[in-house]
């Protein structure tokens, strides 16, 4: 496992992230790119009758055999063992009165690198690499001279390559230290900690403590909750159950408790989002006619002149909606107040009736890229009068038309808004693919594999250039 984020009180997210071949290839490619950028100083010297100059040292090929694993109580362990590095450089050698120059190919063999990355929480609650322990060794180095005096110079190769092996050893660890502490940390900074979802709510992904690393997992506790942008301290208490992941067939598992959804619904409710006024062109003509017929008596008693006035509906959610997750699926319960109004031109609206609406929506959770989205379908619907049981009976004919109106008018608006989803905290350039959603009592688990859209080096260069990762926006 690469990531496991356990859920406790005040936490909602559990993530189990494996260390499969793609992750290892991703790491190896980055290490190869960093080692390929190593620069070495020119070498000048004299040995007996020989005077030499070595310039333009370049690494031309790396053949790395590597392992990526967990280091208990610390972080990640990246090991390169029994690998080789090929370098090319220019020689200028003076032997007695003979002068020779040309390219030299050399190979470092038995390359071993041991790099341990310690992980921690920074002051903003973001994951970072806090320390790097590195050790590198090269068993031997071979050089093959060409040119007219190639065989004469072969015995000098040992002297030259010994010096180059020492310099190469001195360059490997500083390069990897910089790559981890600077470059990879820059990529980790692309993981959102506190972000605005829209103009109403934000979401907090900050870590509550340093990661805990075992031999098989990296465990992290996220705060993970939505909040109203106008009142960030007004949040729900978390009473949700703790998700339990028992499957490990996928590279990553994301578990979402009911608290995740409830905190979002609560924040939108407090932000005043759940209000809607349906009138004029937005009011279905058949429904308007049925409302006018239903409230004919009330209209006549109030004012016969209102018969020609447009009819409207005002819907307002009266308490924060709540989610329920079971093995059979997820649902959202909504309690709303509905007012039926007549809109006489040039005059104040006239209330014809007030009723309560109880509805339940099926909620289908899906993941695309690294965005979690929800699609709602109206499942149950009931209205009753706030004034009398007799009026509640009179509202029975309105049940089906109002339900249809919600299905064709309100629900599509909500789904169009929620389909963009909310971003899950992964670095830029890494997406979920092949997702499978499982419903459990009290939580949802999304199992997925990971897709690395580009190399780590490319992602870092884009970050340094100020480019954002927009692939997850579509």
């Amino acid at each position: 496992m690469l990531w496991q984020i356990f859920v406790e009180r005040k936490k909602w997210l559990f993530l189990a992230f494996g260390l499969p071949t793609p992750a290892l290839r991703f790491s190896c490619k980055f290490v190869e790119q960093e080692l390929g950028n190593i620069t070495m100083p020119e070498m000048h010297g004299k040995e007996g009758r020989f005077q030499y100059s070595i310039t333009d040292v370049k690494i031309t090929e790396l053949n790395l055999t590597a392992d990526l694993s967990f280091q208990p109580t610390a972080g990640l362990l990246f090991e390169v063992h029994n690998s080789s590095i090929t370098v090319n450089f220019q020689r200028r050698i003076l032997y007695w009165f003979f002068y020779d120059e040309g390219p030299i190919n050399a190979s470092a063999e038995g390359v071993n690198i041991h790099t341990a990355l310690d992980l921690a929480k920074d002051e903003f609650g973001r994951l970072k690499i806090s320390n790097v322990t590195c050790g590198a060794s090269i068993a031997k180095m071979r050089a093959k001279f060409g040119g007219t005096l190639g065989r004469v110079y072969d015995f000098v190769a040992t002297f030259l390559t010994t010096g180059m092996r020492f310099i190469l050893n001195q360059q490997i660890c500083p390069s990897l230290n910089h790559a981890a502490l600077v470059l990879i940390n820059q990529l980790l900074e692309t993981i959102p900690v506190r972000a605005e979802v829209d103009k109403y709510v934000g979401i907090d992904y900050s870590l509550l403590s340093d990661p805990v690393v075992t031999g098989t997992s990296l465990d992290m506790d996220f705060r993970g909750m939505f909040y109203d942008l106008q009142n960030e301290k007004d949040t729900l208490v978390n009473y949700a159950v703790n998700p339990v992941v028992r499957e490990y067939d996928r590279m990553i598992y994301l578990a979402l408790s009911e608290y995740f959804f409830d905190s979002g619904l609560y924040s939108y409710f407090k932000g005043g989002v759940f209000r809607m006024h349906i009138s004029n062109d937005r009011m279905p003509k058949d429904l308007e006619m049925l409302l006018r017929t239903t409230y004919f008596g009330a209209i006549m008693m109030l004012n016969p002149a209102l018969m020609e006035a447009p009819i409207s509906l005002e819907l307002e959610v009266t308490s924060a909606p709540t989610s329920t997750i079971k093995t059979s699926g997820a649902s959202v319960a909504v309690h709303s107040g509905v007012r039926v109004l007549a809109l006489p031109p040039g005059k104040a609206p006239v209330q014809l009736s007030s009723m309560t609406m109880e509805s339940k929506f099926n909620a289908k959770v899906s993941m695309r890229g690294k965005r979690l989205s929800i699609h709602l379908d109206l499942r149950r619907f009931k209205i009753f009068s706030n004034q009398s049981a007799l009026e509640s009976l009179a509202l029975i004919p309105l049940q089906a038309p109002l339900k249809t109106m919600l299905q064709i008018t309100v629900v599509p608006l909500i789904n169009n808004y929620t389909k963009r989803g909310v971003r899950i905290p992964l670095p830029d350039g890494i997406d979920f693919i092949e997702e499978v959603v499982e419903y459990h009592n009290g939580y949802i688990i999304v199992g997925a594999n990971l897709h690395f859209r580009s190399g780590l080096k490319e992602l870092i260069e884009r970050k340094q250039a100020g480019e954002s990762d927009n692939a997850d926006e579509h």
Side-chain angles (χ1 to χ4, degrees), residues 372-433:
L372 183 81
S373 60
I374 301 173
H375 182 87
L376 298 176
D377 288 310
L378 184 59
R379 177 183 175 187
R380 286 198 316 219
F381 174 83
K382 179 183 178 181
I383 56 173
F384 51 90
S385 173
N386 296 332
Q387 300 171 8
S388 68
L390 185 61
E391 186 175 0
S392 294
L393 291 174
L395 292 177
I396 292 176
L398 285 176
Q399 295 271 359
L402 281 176
K403 183 177 181 180
T404 301
M405 183 272 296
L406 287 175
Q407 288 174 324
I408 66 176
T409 304
V410 178
V411 176
L413 290 175
I414 297 174
N415 286 330
N416 186 60
Y417 189 81
T418 60
K419 70 179 181 181
R420 182 175 180 269
V422 61
R423 179 175 172 176
I424 296 300
L426 280 181
D428 285 351
I430 303 176
D431 294 328
F432 294 104
I433 59 172

Side-chain angles (χ1 to χ4, degrees), residues 277 306 310 312 314 339-344 346-352:
H277 189 192
L306 295 177
S312 73
E314 283 189 357
R339 292 201 304 158
V340 183
L341 304 171
L343 306 176
K347 297 182 180 180
V350 178
Q351 180 173 308
L352 301 178

Side-chain angles (χ1 to χ4, degrees), residues 216-282:
T216 57
S217 67
L218 169 62
D219 305 334
M220 296 187 289
D221 295 330
F222 283 104
R223 185 180 306 279
M225 66 179 182
F226 292 89
Y227 53 88
D228 177 11
L229 292 177
Q230 302 303 316
N231 190 359
E232 297 184 11
K233 294 183 179 179
D234 185 7
T235 57
L236 282 177
V237 177
N238 184 5
Y239 296 109
V241 300
N242 294 344
V244 178
V245 175
R246 295 186 175 89
E247 301 294 332
Y248 295 97
D249 295 334
R250 303 272 171 167
M251 291 166 58
I252 189 166
Y253 286 89
L254 172 71
L256 304 161
S257 74
E258 290 174 345
Y259 179 72
F260 168 72
F261 301 101
D262 286 346
S263 70
L265 293 168
Y266 180 80
S267 299
Y268 277 111
F269 171 73
K270 287 295 184 177
V273 176
F274 298 137
R275 298 190 184 102
M276 184 171 291
H277 189 192
I278 301 173
S279 62
N280 300 322
D281 293 341
R282 297 179 65 184

